[in-house]
Each structure stands twice: as structure tokens, then as C-alpha cells.
Amino acid sequence: MKKRTIVLASILKPIDDTRMFEKFGISLSDSGDYNVLIIGYPATVKPAYPNVEFITSQPFARLSIGRWIAPLKVFLKLRKVKHDILIVNTHELLLVGMLNRIFFGVKIIYDIQENYYRNILHTDAFPSFIRSVLALWVRTKEKLTAPFFHWFLLAEKGYEKEFSFTGKRFTIIENKPRVSTHLIHVKRLEITQLLFSGTLAESTGVFQAINLVKNLHEFDNTIRLHIIGYAAKKSTYLRIQDEISSYSFITLTGGNHLVPHQEIMEAISKADFGIIIYPPSTHTQNSMPTKLYEYVASKLPILLQDHKPWVEFCKPFHAAIVLAGTSSIELLSKMKTEAFYTK
């Protein structure tokens, strides 16, 4: 039987994105039923996998004309590719998906990885004076194009409460990882290596993590912090640099460029504690951070903010110390004496 071709397309996600390539692309390829084509932003190193092809976009700045015309370029690329199914994972490609169904009869799926409406409205990703307009435009696109989409994939269980336009046409596929045994965390004795990984932004708590580690280091000079990930905003990257420049016990990998997911997983395996400390916000209240799954799957103990769904998720494994009214001395004591992953 002839294999069908599935295209996974993104604007900002790199072609080696952990969900688009590692989870979906590899799984679909391994099924033996599909040829897979991934369209996305250039990766640090171009991946290779049987029956998976890649098309990279031209690099562009986050806020630029290049980003606005990127959907048109994706549409033109899709015209040259005979495909049966198109999975888009960003609101910027909703119209592209709709046009592919209308003109070419392609089955289209919207993989909803984020609540873009809330992200735009409640973070500093865009200038404040245009956030409301952009957020409303995104939600309007989602509602108007929804009838054209055959199915929706939700990256969070909580998204059932946040989206009405999907109706009953959805499947939840969470961002749970597959971790190689050689990447399982092993406790070291000489220093205590803390880790902050993933998206580097004020909204993800990178500055709270830096302040937490500075306070801990005052009482224990073996404390170290490794920050690894990408800051989409240049101002955030520069602020991180400024915050850590005088502190030799804090190091940064990435910041102004994308970091391969495998490198992040390696960093998790070498850490002693992971930090998850998001500032409270409407846009994350129903979300489960991908790194929460990654840390637990790697058996990495977590310093975790007191957010009930995340605390309840960690409780059965005794995976975390909850940062609720705990002094630096008390926290250090718990880090040294508590047993983690006892189940």
C-alpha cells in the first residue's frame, strides 16, 4: 500500500522541535504508514531520520516583516508538495491550513500547543498597546477557521476548559517525554547543581530562579545554577546576562540562540535539582510545563512553586520540594535530607 504523506508545519518552532519532530514525526515514521515532511525554523543541527524530510524557512527576527510573510512562504512550499494530511501547530498557519483544504482537499489538523490568546494578553511578548488587538485577532482566526479543520490535538488536559471552538473534535496528547536510561539523574556529592531549562522569559520564572539561587548560595557556596534554553526577546537575554555577570556560580547555555533538545536532556541528567517557579498568571493556570514531565521522567528532584495541579502531579513520586514560605536555610536542609522518587 502506498504510504500517505503527512506535513507538520510551524513558523517559529525549529525543525527538531521536541513535539513536532521527536514525538509526532518519529512516531508517525516508525508506524510505517507515512512519509513525514517537517517545515519549520532552522535548527542548530539538522536532524536525520528514516522517512522524515525537512524544509527550513529563512531565519527572521521575532518581530519583523519576515515573520508576517512566513505563512505565505509556507503556503507556496506546500503547493509543491503532494501531501494528504497537514498538521499546523501555530495560529499563524490557520489560514494556510484552510486554503489547503479548500483548494487541494487536504485533511487538516490543528495541534494546539498553547493558548495563544492568553499568552499574548498576559505576557510581555508584544508591546502592551497592541496586545488586546493581536489576542482578539488570534481568537477570531481560531473560531472562523475551526469549522474547516477535521480535528484538533490538545497539548494540555486543561485546554478542554479553555477552548470552545474545538467542540468534541479533539484528542489530548500531552508533552510527556521518552527518556533514555543513560539520561536518568544520578546524585553527585561535591556540589549541588540546580537547573533552569526551556524557554527563558520573565513569564517562565527565569529571574525568580536566579534570585532563589543567589539566596541559597549565601548559605551554601556549593550551590550552582545552570540556565539552558532560548530567550526569544533580546531584552530578556541582555537582562539575564546582566543579572548573572557578577556571579561565577551561575552559567548560561544558549540565551540568544536555540539549544538542541538533546543538549537540554543531557543537562537534566547532570543536575541535582530542577527549578519550576512560574510567576502566577492566567495563561499558565491550566498548563503543565513540559519540563515538569522531563524532570520527573529523568527522576530529577524539583524545587517547585506551590501550584496545586503541579504539586498533586509530583506528590505520588515524592518528586518535589514545594517552595511555600520556606526560608533558604530550611530549603537547603530539605534538599540535603529528603529522599526523592521513593515510589
Side-chain angles (χ1 to χ4, degrees):
M1 187 177 71
K2 183 180 178 181
K3 291 183 179 180
R4 290 185 291 173
T5 297
I6 293 184
V7 176
L8 298 120
S10 182
I11 296 295
L12 291 177
K13 299 287 186 183
I15 55 173
D16 64 346
D17 173 66
T18 177
R19 183 175 175 90
M20 189 165 61
F21 169 55
E22 292 184 7
K23 295 183 174 73
F24 285 19
I26 290 178
S27 296
L28 291 166
S29 174
D30 286 351
S31 73
D33 297 326
Y34 305 99
N35 292 312
V36 179
L37 174 63
I38 295 178
I39 300 175
Y41 202 78
T44 307
V45 178
K46 189 173 182 178
Y49 201 81
N51 298 318
V52 180
E53 297 181 46
F54 302 90
I55 296 179
T56 57
S57 59
Q58 292 294 320
F60 52 81
R62 191 178 63 90
L63 296 177
S64 66
I65 295 297
R67 180 173 180 178
W68 294 109
I69 65 174
L72 174 60
K73 290 184 175 180
V74 171
F75 179 71
L76 294 175
K77 289 173 181 175
L78 287 171
R79 286 189 61 189
K80 301 176 183 179
V81 178
K82 188 174 182 182
H83 56 292
D84 305 284
I85 301 170
L86 171 63
I87 302 176
V88 300
N89 63 23
T90 173
H91 65 88
E92 292 161 307
L93 292 177
L94 290 175
L95 296 176
V96 171
M98 184 181 71
L99 292 174
N100 265 263
R101 176 174 184 176
I102 292 172
F103 291 115
F104 309 117
V106 173
K107 291 188 181 297
I108 55 175
I109 297 170
Y110 182 17
D111 178 26
I112 307 178
Q113 298 187 19
E114 303 174 41
N115 187 329
Y116 297 104
Y117 172 82
R118 290 188 178 185
N119 285 3
I120 293 169
L121 208 56
H122 299 291
T123 71
D124 62 352
F126 293 95
S128 57
F129 65 90
I130 62 170
R131 287 176 198 165
S132 297
V133 175
L134 283 177
L136 183 60
W137 166 236
V138 167
R139 184 48 48 88
T140 300
K141 277 194 301 182
E142 289 177 326
K143 288 184 176 181
L144 290 178
T145 59
F148 292 89
F149 277 80
H150 293 86
W151 207 255
F152 299 89
L153 304 177
L154 306 183
E156 305 277 2
K157 286 181 180 178
Y159 286 170
E160 288 183 81
K161 308 171 187 175
E162 297 181 17
F163 302 114
S164 60
F165 58 82
T166 61
K168 299 295 183 181
R169 296 174 297 134
F170 67 84
T171 302
I172 299 170
I173 302 180
E174 296 177 287
N175 284 319
K176 298 179 180 180
R178 177 175 58 188
V179 179
S180 300
T181 54
H182 79 281
L183 293 179
I184 299 298
H185 157 266
V186 177
K187 180 71 177 77
R188 296 174 303 160
L189 299 176
E190 65 277 12
I191 64 170
T192 303
Q193 182 72 60
L194 276 63
L195 180 74
F196 186 94
S197 62
T199 302
L200 308 182
E202 188 170 355
S203 62
T204 61
V206 63
F207 298 111
Q208 281 86 346
I210 291 171
N211 289 332
L212 173 66
V213 171
K214 286 179 181 178
N215 291 334
L216 292 176
H217 191 268
E218 289 183 9
F219 298 95
D220 184 347
N221 62 12
T222 69
I223 293 288
R224 302 286 186 272
L225 173 62
H226 183 194
I227 302 170
I228 182 169
Y230 174 57
K233 292 183 65 178
K234 184 178 180 181
S235 59
T236 301
Y237 168 65
L238 294 176
R239 183 181 166 191
I240 293 171
Q241 291 278 53
D242 183 61
E243 291 268 358
I244 70 175
S245 60
S246 301
Y247 301 91
S248 59
F249 55 89
I250 303 178
T251 58
L252 172 65
T253 299
N256 62 346
H257 60 83
L258 294 167
V259 179
H261 186 245
Q262 183 63 21
E263 193 171 338
I264 291 176
M265 295 306 297
E266 292 280 356
I268 291 173
S269 72
K270 295 174 182 176
D272 297 306
F273 288 89
I275 301 174
I276 300 179
I277 186 170
Y278 285 58
S281 175
T282 303
H283 80 286
T284 56
Q285 66 183 11
N286 293 318
S287 299
M288 293 285 281
T290 299
K291 61 184 171 184
L292 180 56
Y293 292 125
E294 292 173 344
Y295 293 172
V296 171
S298 302
K299 297 186 179 179
L300 177 66
I302 305 166
L303 304 183
L304 183 66
Q305 74 188 74
D306 190 10
H307 182 52
K308 187 176 179 180
W310 304 350
V311 172
E312 291 299 318
F313 176 76
C314 291
K315 189 178 293 184
F317 323 111
H318 196 192
I321 299 174
V322 180
L323 300 170
T326 306
S327 69
S328 296
I329 293 176
E330 290 172 330
L331 180 55
L332 286 167
S333 176
K334 289 182 178 181
M335 290 165 64
K336 293 177 181 178
T337 60
E338 289 199 15
F340 299 94
Y341 297 99
T342 50
K343 293 185 180 180

